[in-house]
């Protein structure tokens, strides 16, 4: 059955699977779907069925708007005390000669490169380096804010924060308060991987567990900080593990309301200990995005990282529930390229990103980190990519 250009009510009506029909009607009635519903959508839902419903939800919430921001990345180090089997980026501390570590002055120099440019966010994540402690990053944040007070600092996964707080012998709440007062504005979504212990113990056993990850985000939310959330899919997990992961996030969002966006991250098998695991197809990618949009009903936004998917596939996600393509990423961030992303030097100008969105008949809207509109580009002409 070809569901293209068919209204979702007709898509549901045409479905012969009665269980899918019930789930579809729940979605159309804006009712929450269950854990079992989510698993069944993965197992039985066709790409057309899922896409039609996810696109309907997306357009009910955001119309044709597709968000992006002007950001740049700082990666303090790729030296790390942890060994995640899926990671192509970090170098163990024992082999630190293969990595890099930046000083506060070097990172401040990166910030200064963007003086006079209308970037709104600096994204700071990297490896877990034993020398880069709570005092080090407190000084970094204060230096950035002293130089550019309006720049939003989105920094650190719970993997980094858990190590930093333990080393400093402070509680999660104390540590988050110290960093927040120094200028730490929000958290990215990384380090979540897969929450279920059966999978987490096999791919990243030595880093913060699901409960710790969620506790750090909860503490941030309680301080008025917002954050994002991710899921690493397409490796050794099963569908039930994906839904379990999303369900834990959905429950915390019910409690705090502090998450901005959900970001499914595709496992890439280049140069890591899981290179024997084949990558999933583009069909599986689109199913993941669509079901994320349907299940994560209390998350306002669904984001696709265009560097990891490639530009054409990122455009395709905009018909499967996605309303955000991240940012211009005006640098040569190594996390993407070393992981085997489709874009080896991931940078787009604002004009190029606007064009990318307009080519698939969506309306580009520049946002800040908290989704306040900076500029609506929907009525502006654009150049071809």
């Amino acid at each position: 059955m070809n569901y293209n250009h068919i209204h979702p009510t007709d898509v549901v009506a045409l479905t012969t699977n009665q269980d899918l029909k019930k789930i579809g009607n729940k979605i159309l009635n804006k009712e929450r779907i269950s854990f079992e519903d989510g698993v069944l959508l993965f197992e039985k839902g066709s790409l057309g069925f899922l896409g039609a419903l996810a696109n309907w939800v997306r357009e009910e919430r955001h119309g044709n708007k597709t968000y992006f921001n002007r950001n740049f990345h700082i990666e303090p180090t790729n030296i790390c005390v942890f060994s995640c089997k899926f990671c192509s980026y970090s170098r163990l501390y024992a082999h630190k000669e293969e990595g890099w570590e930046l000083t506060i002055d070097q990172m401040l120099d990166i910030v200064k490169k963007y003086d006079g440019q209308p970037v709104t966010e600096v994204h700071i994540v990297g490896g877990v380096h034993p020398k880069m402690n709570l005092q080090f990053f407190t000084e970094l944040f204060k230096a950035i804010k002293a130089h550019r007070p309006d720049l939003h600092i989105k920094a650190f996964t719970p993997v980094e924060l858990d190590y930093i707080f333990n080393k400093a012998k402070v509680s999660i709440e104390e540590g988050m308060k110290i960093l927040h007062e120094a200028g730490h504005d929000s958290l990215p979504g990384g380090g979540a991987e897969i929450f279920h212990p059966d999978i987490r113990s096999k791919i990243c056993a030595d880093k913060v567990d699901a409960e710790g990850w969620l506790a750090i985000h909860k503490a941030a939310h309680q301080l008025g900080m917002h954050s994002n959330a991710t899921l690493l899919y397409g490796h050794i997990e099963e569908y039930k593990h994906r839904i379990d992961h999303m369900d834990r996030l959905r429950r915390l969002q019910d409690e705090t309301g502090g998450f901005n966006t959900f970001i499914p991250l595709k496992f890439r098998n280049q140069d890591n200990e899981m290179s024997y695991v084949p990558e999933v197809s583009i069909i599986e990618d689109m199913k993941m995005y669509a079901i994320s949009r349907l299940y994560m009903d209390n998350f306002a936004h669904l984001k696709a990282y265009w560097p990891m998917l490639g530009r054409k596939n990122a455009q395709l996600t905009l018909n499967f529930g996605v309303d955000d393509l991240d940012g211009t990423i005006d640098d040569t961030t190594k996390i993407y390229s070393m992981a085997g992303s489709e874009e080896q030097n991931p940078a787009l100008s604002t004009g190029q990103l606007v064009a990318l969105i307009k080519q698939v008949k969506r309306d580009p809207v520049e946002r800040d980190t908290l989704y306040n509109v900076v500029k609506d580009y929907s009525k502006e002409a654009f150049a071809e990519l």
Side-chain angles (χ1 to χ4, degrees):
M1 179 69 66
N2 184 351
Y3 292 113
N4 289 343
H5 310 301
I6 302 177
H7 193 274
T9 54
D10 296 324
V11 168
V12 172
L14 289 167
T15 302
T16 57
N17 184 304
Q18 294 305 306
D19 290 328
L20 287 178
K21 193 184 292 288
K22 289 177 184 176
I23 297 170
N25 282 321
K26 276 188 186 180
I27 293 164
L28 292 173
N29 290 325
K30 300 183 179 179
E31 299 171 14
R32 173 164 284 185
I33 62 175
S34 69
F35 186 103
E36 293 74 20
D37 292 338
V39 174
L40 187 69
L41 288 175
F42 272 119
E43 292 175 341
K44 302 294 185 181
S46 70
L47 189 59
F49 177 84
L50 297 171
L53 286 169
N55 189 58
W56 178 79
V57 172
R58 178 236 201 273
E59 293 186 353
E60 280 283 299
R61 286 171 173 253
H62 305 293
N64 269 330
K65 291 178 181 176
T66 297
Y67 297 93
F68 70 93
N69 71 336
R70 298 199 204 198
N71 61 354
F72 65 97
H73 287 216
I74 294 176
E75 293 154 17
T77 183
N78 72 331
I79 297 166
C80 192
V81 299
F82 297 121
S83 176
C84 300
K85 295 184 183 301
F86 55 83
C87 184
S88 311
Y89 168 78
S90 68
R91 297 294 179 266
L92 287 173
Y93 187 66
H95 302 284
K96 56 182 179 292
E97 70 279 356
E98 299 174 12
W100 71 83
E101 52 185 289
L102 302 180
T103 66
I104 289 175
D105 286 342
Q106 286 173 321
M107 288 186 272
L108 195 57
D109 285 342
I110 295 172
V111 173
K112 289 176 180 177
K113 281 171 43 183
Y114 295 90
D115 285 356
Q117 297 185 38
V119 294
T120 57
E121 172 190 289
V122 56
H123 182 127
I124 305 174
V125 294
V128 179
H129 194 302
K131 291 182 183 177
M132 294 182 172
N133 56 22
L134 184 60
Q135 181 181 352
F136 178 90
F137 286 117
T138 299
E139 291 176 8
L140 173 65
F141 291 165
K142 287 179 178 177
I144 291 172
K145 288 295 187 178
H147 178 73
R148 190 164 178 175
D150 61 329
L151 187 64
H152 184 104
I153 299 175
K154 183 171 75 177
F156 300 151
T157 70
V159 180
E160 296 158 274
L161 292 169
D162 179 68
Y163 184 88
I164 290 168
F165 297 158
N166 283 330
K167 192 174 180 67
K169 295 182 170 55
V170 299
S171 68
I172 290 171
E173 291 75 19
E174 289 171 318
M176 287 307 309
K177 187 171 186 291
I178 290 167
L179 289 174
H180 185 47
E181 289 176 350
H184 190 184
D185 294 308
S186 69
L187 302 182
E193 324 314 354
I194 287 282
F195 287 149
H196 199 285
D198 290 352
I199 304 301
R200 201 171 189 84
S201 64
K202 294 176 183 175
I203 66 172
C204 55
D206 57 349
K207 70 183 186 184
V208 66
D209 61 12
E211 289 71 25
W213 192 101
L214 292 164
I216 288 173
H217 278 260
K218 181 177 179 178
H221 296 171
Q222 289 173 334
L223 287 170
M225 300 169 67
H226 288 259
S227 67
N228 296 337
T230 61
L231 178 156
L232 182 70
Y233 72 92
H235 43 94
I236 63 170
E237 88 286 0
E238 300 174 25
Y239 291 143
K240 66 181 180 181
H241 299 128
R242 297 184 193 178
I243 297 296
D244 171 77
H245 186 102
M246 289 192 280
D247 198 66
R248 297 184 198 215
L249 291 170
R250 194 170 73 171
R251 280 185 271 131
L252 181 57
Q253 181 73 332
D254 280 342
E255 183 179 348
T256 68
F259 287 113
N260 284 328
T261 186
F262 180 60
I263 312 157
L265 298 174
K266 180 174 184 169
F267 164 72
R268 308 309 296 252
N269 64 7
Q270 179 174 301
D271 296 330
N272 58 47
E273 293 182 53
M274 293 176 66
S275 58
Y276 62 91
V277 178
E279 295 179 4
V280 297
S281 68
I282 186 63
I283 292 174
E284 189 68 24
D285 293 334
M286 296 306 127
K287 287 180 70 173
M288 183 69 233
Y289 284 105
I291 294 170
S292 297
R293 182 61 284 167
L294 301 176
Y295 199 84
M296 307 299 273
D297 55 17
N298 55 2
F299 277 63
H301 302 282
L302 179 66
K303 181 191 292 187
Y305 277 138
W306 63 263
M308 290 302 289
L309 292 170
R311 303 179 193 194
K312 295 299 182 184
N313 290 342
Q315 287 176 316
L316 189 58
T317 67
L318 300 181
N319 290 321
F320 288 87
V322 169
D323 67 284
D324 189 318
L325 290 184
D326 193 49
T328 49
I329 312 180
D330 290 326
D331 67 345
T332 53
T333 179
K334 299 177 182 66
I335 289 178
Y336 295 122
S337 56
M338 291 173 74
S341 71
E342 297 294 331
E343 303 283 339
Q344 289 303 295
N345 291 296
L348 285 178
S349 68
T350 301
Q352 289 174 317
L353 194 50
V354 166
L356 190 81
I357 295 166
K358 284 203 166 192
Q359 283 175 346
V360 287
K361 312 301 182 188
R362 298 293 188 181
D363 296 332
V365 177
E366 183 183 346
R367 59 167 176 84
D368 65 12
T369 306
L370 302 181
Y371 287 85
N372 298 304
V373 174
V374 174
K375 185 173 181 179
D376 187 337
Y377 287 84
S378 59
K379 301 293 189 287
E380 294 196 9
F382 66 100
E384 292 294 329
L385 285 172

